[in-house]
Amino acid sequence: MQQRVVVVGGGFAGSSVARALDEVADVVLVEPKDAFVYAAATLRAVVDESWQKQVFYPYDHLLTRGRVVHDQARLVSPNLVRVSAHDALPADYLVLATGTSYPFPARFLENRAADAVAHLSRMREALARCERVLLVGAGPVGLELAGELTSAFPGLAVTVVEQEPDILTTGDYLPELRHSVRHQLEKRGVTFVVGAPLGHLPPVDVGTYGQFTVETTTGARVEAQMWFRCFGTRARTEYLDDELSVGLRHDGTIPVTQHLNVHGQRTVFAIGDTADIGENKRISAARDHATVVAQNITDLIEGREPSATYTPAPERIVLALGPDAGAAQITRDDGSRMVLGPRATSEIKGKDLSTYAMSRLFAGPQGIDVR
């Protein structure tokens, strides 16, 4: 009988490795959602309904021989994945690819695509009534969301509150990148309130309409009718048993070797946002992780030592501020870094948001528009 590979998590990394191994192993993908969520397009879908069909892709077009188990991994051991109190999946090889938890709207809590789309629709209707919106957190997600909102709603007043003294303080960002992003957003009327946290979060749910006033701990007042939480990310590894939890980093990521197997585990691998690799999380990296792990599991199945190693590509940071604006930071061949302006950034982001990668991964429709 073919050896079984259980992949936990159906994001880009997990789906890619599952598809790559579909012909050489008995592949089981454990994923509670009924459709793949293309996270790169979710913030654009917040303001543009037409983008919904580029966000959700049905899993029934992913594998031809393997299967998808639509359930939550409750407890994962090196050779066993428990999906309920009574059901478990034995595994000869295990791939951990559950990614990172992000607040709505960068990620969706709903497991059914239809429910997620309904949530988006209600939020858009409420957003159209707003005059002021508050974003809490000035990291990449908060800044990109500010760009999408002000691009789609030019008259909308957006305030970004950040407890640190500047934007983009977590990460190796050049000052020129911060300046470019802040300058572009301030030209659109975005207000930055930095250097102090809010005394308390707004009393209304994220993404719902409701008049409120909040203050920072230094007394700066902010009035708005809607708010979004753009901070608080952590790798989703809470399901690991004691053996696999050894060595977890403070952010929940899992230390891996150059072959991307978990330290001390020959047949357990971690990829995508789940792995502690020290690089910016991006689709191209997830795809490369999947390629390395697919080769190494194939090697092991066929009686060879793992042959593929992973070396992070030169760092690239792309911050789109709507369809026609943004800034990017790239690394040249000589190791030096430079910042790109709005036009080049839009071209890069346009390629990132194209459906080409999705059409290669999910044979069949170019996504689903659930209404």
Side-chain angles (χ1 to χ4, degrees):
M1 295 181 63
Q2 281 193 316
Q3 296 188 62
R4 172 175 285 178
V5 178
V6 178
V7 181
V8 184
F12 198 91
S15 293
S16 296
V17 76
R19 187 172 178 86
L21 290 168
D22 195 29
E23 293 296 323
V24 300
D26 173 21
V27 175
V28 180
L29 175 65
V30 179
E31 168 56 54
K33 296 186 183 299
D34 66 359
F36 172 90
V37 178
Y38 189 26
T42 53
L43 294 182
R44 185 67 52 82
V46 167
V47 299
D48 187 346
E49 183 179 4
S50 68
W51 276 78
Q52 285 176 182
K53 62 184 178 182
Q54 294 176 235
V55 173
F56 301 99
Y57 292 77
Y59 281 107
D60 53 5
H61 295 282
L62 177 65
L63 303 175
T64 56
R65 299 176 66 255
R67 62 191 175 103
V68 181
V69 174
H70 290 295
D71 207 333
Q72 189 82 38
R74 318 289 177 179
L75 182 65
V76 174
S77 305
N79 297 107
L80 195 68
V81 176
R82 295 192 178 278
V83 294
S84 72
H86 307 289
D87 296 325
L89 299 166
D92 297 299
Y93 300 94
L94 178 65
V95 182
L96 306 172
T98 39
T100 305
S101 61
Y102 283 94
F104 175 82
R107 296 287 191 275
F108 305 110
L109 295 177
E110 297 85 358
N111 287 333
R112 294 180 65 247
D115 295 336
V117 169
H119 189 179
L120 272 174
S121 180
R122 292 192 301 271
M123 185 211 63
R124 280 195 218 93
E125 291 177 359
L127 187 59
R129 301 167 53 199
C130 292
E131 297 177 353
R132 304 179 188 86
V133 170
L134 166 67
L135 306 180
V136 185
V141 171
L143 297 172
E144 287 202 2
L145 183 53
E148 295 292 351
L149 290 171
T150 53
S151 177
F153 304 99
L156 184 67
V158 175
T159 299
V160 180
V161 172
E162 169 57 57
Q163 65 180 0
E164 299 299 328
D166 201 354
I167 67 173
L168 296 173
T169 57
T170 304
D172 188 15
Y173 303 112
L174 292 172
E176 293 86 350
L177 182 74
R178 296 190 184 93
H179 173 77
S180 178
V181 170
R182 186 160 182 166
H183 177 70
Q184 290 178 62
L185 290 177
E186 287 178 337
K187 283 182 63 177
R188 297 183 187 177
V190 174
T191 300
F192 289 93
V193 179
V194 300
L198 290 176
H200 59 83
L201 293 177
V204 298
D205 289 338
V206 166
T208 61
Y209 186 89
Q211 184 72 42
F212 62 86
T213 301
V214 290
E215 292 187 6
T216 68
T217 54
T218 55
R221 288 169 53 89
V222 180
E223 296 183 3
Q225 294 91 32
M226 185 178 289
W227 77 288
F228 295 98
R229 183 167 71 90
C230 305
F231 66 92
T233 65
R234 181 179 174 81
R236 296 183 55 247
T237 51
E238 68 283 351
Y239 54 82
L240 298 178
D241 73 353
D242 291 342
E243 182 177 353
L244 292 179
S245 295
V246 174
L248 279 184
R249 304 306 190 203
H250 71 281
D251 59 357
T253 56
I254 306 170
V256 293
T257 70
Q258 62 179 348
H259 299 291
L260 299 185
N261 58 292
V262 176
H263 279 287
Q265 301 290 335
R266 180 174 170 81
T267 61
V268 182
F269 298 81
I271 59 177
D273 291 3
T274 307
D276 176 31
I277 296 179
E279 63 183 349
N280 288 319
K281 309 305 181 183
R282 55 185 186 270
I283 288 174
S284 59
R287 181 176 57 244
D288 293 343
H289 296 180
T291 300
V292 168
V293 169
Q295 179 61 57
N296 288 334
I297 290 178
T298 300
D299 288 338
L300 290 169
I301 288 174
E302 297 179 356
R304 301 186 299 269
E305 287 298 306
S307 62
T309 59
Y310 179 73
T311 301
E315 285 291 80
R316 188 185 77 174
I317 301 159
V318 182
L319 292 176
L321 304 177
D324 303 312
Q329 179 178 305
I330 64 171
T331 303
R332 298 185 181 96
D333 292 339
D334 63 2
S336 63
R337 297 175 297 168
M338 66 176 297
V339 173
L340 304 177
R343 177 176 295 182
T345 300
S346 296
E347 291 176 357
I348 296 172
K349 192 65 174 182
K351 294 177 181 178
D352 289 346
L353 291 177
S354 73
T355 58
Y356 176 66
M358 294 296 96
S359 65
R360 292 179 63 193
L361 184 58
F362 292 89
Q366 295 287 304
I368 52 177
D369 191 5
V370 184
R371 297 178 183 272

